[in-house]
Amino acid sequence: MDYFDISMDLSEEDMSMRQVARDFAEEVVRPISRELDVMSPEDVIAEGSPLWTFLRKSYELGYHTILLPEAYGGQGLTPLQIAVIFEEIAWASGGLATLLGASCFPFFIACMTADKRLVEEFVIPFCNCSDGSIRGCWAITEPDHGSDYISSEPFTRDPAIRNNMQATRDGDEWVLNGQKSGWVSGGTIATHALLFCQADQSLGLAGGGICICPLEVEGVSRGKPVRKIGCRDLNQGEIYFDEVRIPDYYMFCDPDFYPEMLDMVLAAANASLGLGTAGMARAAFEEALTYARQRVQGGVPLIEHRSVRQRLFEMFSKVEMCRAFSRAVINLNFNISPPIPEYSLAAKTMCSQLCFEVTSEAMQLLGGYGLTEDGFVEKLFRDARSALIGDGCNEVLQAHGGQMLAEFYPRRQDDLL
Ligand SMILES: Cc1cc2nc3c(=O)[nH]c(=O)nc-3n(C[C@H](O)[C@H](O)[C@H](O)COP(=O)(O)OP(=O)(O)OC[C@H]3O[C@@H](n4cnc5c(N)ncnc54)[C@H](O)[C@@H]3O)c2cc1C
């Protein structure tokens, strides 16, 4: 279903990109996502799975590099173009949109470091990859530390609390030992990780380090892919590190810069997830609208009932709020450096909540049919539920955002670079 675009500044080029993305979403991504949704997590990543077709075709279209600058071989898109493409892919599948975003993430962050060695070794080959064979992931969550990673409360400076993932310096190398949790998106199939670890034990969890770690090396092993309620097309699983050695320049962030870098990474991830919610919510709204025009109750189509129109209008309003706010935030935070994290956190938490409400209401509007696997809404509902937890539990992100308000508000317009 076509939709009116609230962004009046879309150029001809933007609209043609949107059309290409929409065709791809409709013809390739959604059918593949629905196939993967009913497969076991092991089959999703098995040889011959349609997952690999999705990745290959996405890479052929250059969608793995939508966040990356043209100078390194990326698409060099404007924030609005990124938003439009991401919305279309998430309309087809929140899980596969997340996989694509995660795949790009280590390389996107490597660009932000502007370290020539990282760019040449990792970013350029990734941008040149057109068959899906180079895939990133963001490995932050650990078995014993999920929300802890987002917190800056006093316990994070307690040296008695240790991360599961340890990094120790040895000459001009770092030695990595430990594990990441089963929640890492793309964890069992990624070739590279943006890896969060503890680089200074004396500082507790605040002694964090961030590195790029190739995963197809000795000492890295993977767990089983996780089985879950939603985003079943999104591979997730544990990664283990046993005496893995990396050169010191792969560790591009040490504890001195760690809090700032963590907020920059969160700002990018949360802003991107906000965009995805507009696609998922729109998909649910469209299903509800179509059904309300077809289903007859009380002798007339549902949409003829005043209360149903009111419910549809509320859903429509929420879709547009997801779209407008997440686009405004990506436009802000992808145009300034450093970003203002609380805006990204607000986009992720509010838009994922609205998206969940829209998918839930769509299910209600479809009545019993909404619960069946013949329809698409129950999948959207399950996928949207995950977004309240992925990239940080909403309530924890809100507490973190609230701390930023307490420290920095009001911010000054002149402080922007
Ligand atoms: C779809 C999806 C994709 C994901 N992708 C990735 C990925 O690519 N990489 C990755 O590393 N991880 C990923 N995750 C993991 C995700 O980031 C974590 O699940 C999330 O940060 C929460 O951590 P947890 O599951 O350990 O929950 P916990 O941190 O254990 O939280 C459990 C509950 O306790 C509450 N809570 C926790 N701490 C506090 C506190 N201090 N005060 C008050 N309440 C608290 C939380 O709000 C929550 O309700 C993904 C998760 C999902 C669902």
Side-chain angles (χ1 to χ4, degrees), residues 185-415:
S185 297
T188 76
I189 58 170
T191 58
H192 296 76
L194 176 71
L195 181 67
F196 280 59
C197 51
Q198 189 171 25
D200 184 342
Q201 287 74 23
S202 70
L203 300 174
L205 302 184
I210 310 175
C211 63
I212 306 279
C213 182
L215 296 175
E216 292 182 331
V217 294
E218 212 182 312
V220 174
S221 55
R222 323 291 175 114
K224 270 169 59 142
V226 170
R227 181 168 196 83
K228 54 202 188 283
I229 180 177
C231 291
R232 291 183 178 165
D233 48 2
L234 169 66
N235 164 261
Q236 291 180 285
E238 290 159 326
I239 314 178
Y240 301 90
F241 299 81
D242 180 14
E243 293 291 308
V244 175
R245 288 183 170 265
I246 54 168
D248 58 359
Y249 65 93
Y250 286 12
M251 186 76 70
F252 61 84
C253 174
D254 63 19
D256 288 345
F257 191 52
Y258 180 73
E260 288 80 8
M261 197 67 201
L262 172 66
D263 278 342
M264 282 165 74
V265 170
L266 260 188
N270 275 201
S272 307
L273 202 149
L275 299 174
T277 62
M280 284 192 281
R282 189 182 111 217
F285 168 66
E286 288 174 2
E287 295 292 318
L289 185 63
T290 305
Y291 190 79
R293 287 186 169 136
Q294 290 165 355
R295 172 74 173 166
V296 174
Q297 285 297 285
V300 291
L302 287 179
I303 200 163
E304 297 298 327
H305 295 289
R306 201 174 159 77
S307 66
V308 171
R309 290 183 175 186
Q310 180 256 323
R311 287 161 72 189
L312 284 166
F313 187 74
E314 194 176 348
M315 292 167 75
F316 159 80
S317 310
K318 288 177 178 175
V319 173
E320 292 298 345
M321 281 162 75
C322 287
R323 177 179 291 135
F325 187 38
S326 60
R327 283 187 189 180
V329 168
I330 200 114
N331 195 39
L332 170 74
N333 274 344
F334 277 34
N335 272 315
I336 56 171
S337 180
I340 307 181
E342 61 265 28
Y343 281 96
S344 294
L345 269 53
K348 189 274 176 178
T349 55
M350 290 315 294
C351 297
S352 60
Q353 179 61 33
L354 292 175
C355 173
F356 179 63
E357 287 169 14
V358 173
T359 57
S360 177
E361 182 59 8
M363 199 175 217
Q364 190 70 12
L365 225 154
L366 267 67
Y369 181 63
L371 302 171
T372 67
E373 291 184 7
D374 296 341
F376 187 52
V377 169
E378 66 85 32
K379 175 179 183 299
L380 289 168
F381 175 78
R382 287 188 280 109
D383 290 355
R385 184 62 185 82
S386 306
L388 305 181
I389 296 172
D391 283 5
C393 289
N394 279 4
E395 51 287 356
V396 170
L397 290 171
Q398 283 166 334
H400 189 50
Q403 188 178 335
M404 289 172 194
L405 297 188
E407 277 179 38
F408 302 119
Y409 257 66
R411 288 196 188 263
R412 285 157 39 94
Q413 207 79 23
D414 325 345
D415 291 342

Side-chain angles (χ1 to χ4, degrees), residues 95 98 102 137-151 153 155 180-187 194 228 230-231 234 236 273 383 385-397 399:
T98 304
C137 68
W138 176 23
I140 176 166
T141 310
E142 299 180 343
D144 297 331
H145 304 287
S147 305
D148 286 358
Y149 256 106
I150 294 162
S151 179
E153 288 175 49
F155 77 89
K180 287 290 160 181
S181 86
W183 291 112
V184 177
S185 297
L194 176 71
K228 54 202 188 283
C231 291
L234 169 66
Q236 291 180 285
L273 202 149
D383 290 355
R385 184 62 185 82
S386 306
L388 305 181
I389 296 172
D391 283 5
C393 289
N394 279 4
E395 51 287 356
V396 170
L397 290 171

